[in-house]
Amino acid sequence: MLFLVFSGVAQEKINVIVIGAHPDDADIRAGGTAIKYAKAGHNVLFVSLTNGDAGHHEKGGGALARIRRAEAREAGKRFGVEYIVLDNHDGELMPTLENRLEVIRLIRKWNADIVLGPRPNDYHPDHRNTAILVQDAAYMVIVPNVASDVPPLEKNPVFLYVEDRFQKPYPFEPDIAVDISAEFDQKIYGIAAHESQMFEWLPWTGGRLDQVPKGEKERLKWLADWRRPNISDEIRNSLKKWYGPEKAANIKVAEAFEICEYGRRPSEEEIKKLFPFFD
């Protein structure tokens, strides 16, 4: 069993898995937090449940899937995490039993302590169905007779939702907020590896493809301005809870997470152990 040392106290390595629908989803929603874990010696896995073969206005199919898989590999290097891209078609992901069992196996093989994924209310069907698959894997990861070819986990991980902007049926609740001010530049560098998305497809869908700079330095600045999240009052209050009012007041960039009721319900003390950044 491997241990790390924080402030003179030994701590077992934490295994984190971030599951998204597309290559770049995990990066955008939890990239800064992933960098914090990776730099501290913990284990982080990004998973894309689709190969992203529909996410472009000019390219598509197998050629685009190969591009996006290569981008994910490069992003993984920049974030310091492992990156898996499954071969389901973009725009066609369904919460089937086969896909659920694959998610269960991935969580078990990673021996996950924390599982991050989207909430089920979202504009994109792949995002919604990813949320259903992750939710349906919660609890089942400890059931021995389900996906019995992979040993079950001894205890249910903590399942967390990543932040989103959707208001119905209820808005995102930031139970946990992490300061990523020091990691933000590296996060931007990481998501910039998804060139087909950050500088082509998503600007095209937003009607601002003509605004994308040509030079790498200019592109990184442009991407940082675009992807710098606003800290809402609710997230600021969560930061105050975990960092204290004085430190929270100086936090410039944060990522927030909501506890999913389907996983383990952690105490505040357990959250502090699973997120060893707050001290």
Side-chain angles (χ1 to χ4, degrees), residues 85-149:
V85 178
L86 302 187
D87 206 25
N88 298 303
H89 290 302
D90 187 355
E92 300 180 10
L93 184 69
M94 296 297 293
T96 62
L97 177 58
E98 179 183 10
N99 286 333
R100 183 200 306 168
L101 293 174
E102 183 65 22
V103 171
I104 290 170
R105 292 186 182 102
L106 286 167
I107 294 171
R108 286 177 175 175
K109 289 176 181 177
W110 199 246
N111 193 23
D113 299 297
I114 300 172
V115 181
L116 299 173
R119 294 199 303 162
N121 42 307
D122 193 284
Y123 75 99
H124 199 300
D126 286 349
H127 296 174
R128 294 195 299 270
N129 288 331
T130 295
I132 293 171
L133 287 165
V134 174
Q135 288 180 165
D136 287 352
Y139 175 72
M140 304 307 287
V141 295
I142 67 172
V143 179
N145 286 323
V146 174
S148 57
D149 55 321

Side-chain angles (χ1 to χ4, degrees), residues 56-195:
H56 206 276
H57 52 294
E58 296 176 338
K59 309 163 188 173
L64 179 58
R66 287 190 291 273
I67 290 171
R68 300 203 66 184
R69 196 179 297 274
E71 290 173 343
R73 282 197 299 269
E74 175 60 26
K77 294 176 183 177
R78 297 183 185 189
F79 280 101
V81 307
E82 293 193 36
Y83 215 128
I84 293 176
V85 178
L86 302 187
D87 206 25
N88 298 303
H89 290 302
D90 187 355
E92 300 180 10
L93 184 69
M94 296 297 293
T96 62
L97 177 58
E98 179 183 10
N99 286 333
R100 183 200 306 168
L101 293 174
E102 183 65 22
V103 171
I104 290 170
R105 292 186 182 102
L106 286 167
I107 294 171
R108 286 177 175 175
K109 289 176 181 177
W110 199 246
N111 193 23
D113 299 297
I114 300 172
V115 181
L116 299 173
R119 294 199 303 162
N121 42 307
D122 193 284
Y123 75 99
H124 199 300
D126 286 349
H127 296 174
R128 294 195 299 270
N129 288 331
T130 295
I132 293 171
L133 287 165
V134 174
Q135 288 180 165
D136 287 352
Y139 175 72
M140 304 307 287
V141 295
I142 67 172
V143 179
N145 286 323
V146 174
S148 57
D149 55 321
V150 180
L153 297 181
E154 294 182 2
K155 62 180 180 180
N156 207 14
V158 173
F159 282 73
L160 301 174
Y161 296 123
V162 296
E163 184 185 356
D164 62 63
R165 65 181 184 277
F166 301 102
Q167 302 298 303
K168 297 179 180 180
Y170 74 92
F172 173 82
E173 298 178 357
D175 297 313
I176 300 167
V178 177
D179 176 13
I180 64 161
S181 303
E183 293 74 28
F184 182 66
D185 288 345
Q186 184 179 344
K187 175 180 177 176
I188 292 301
Y189 180 61
I191 65 176
H194 300 276
E195 293 185 13

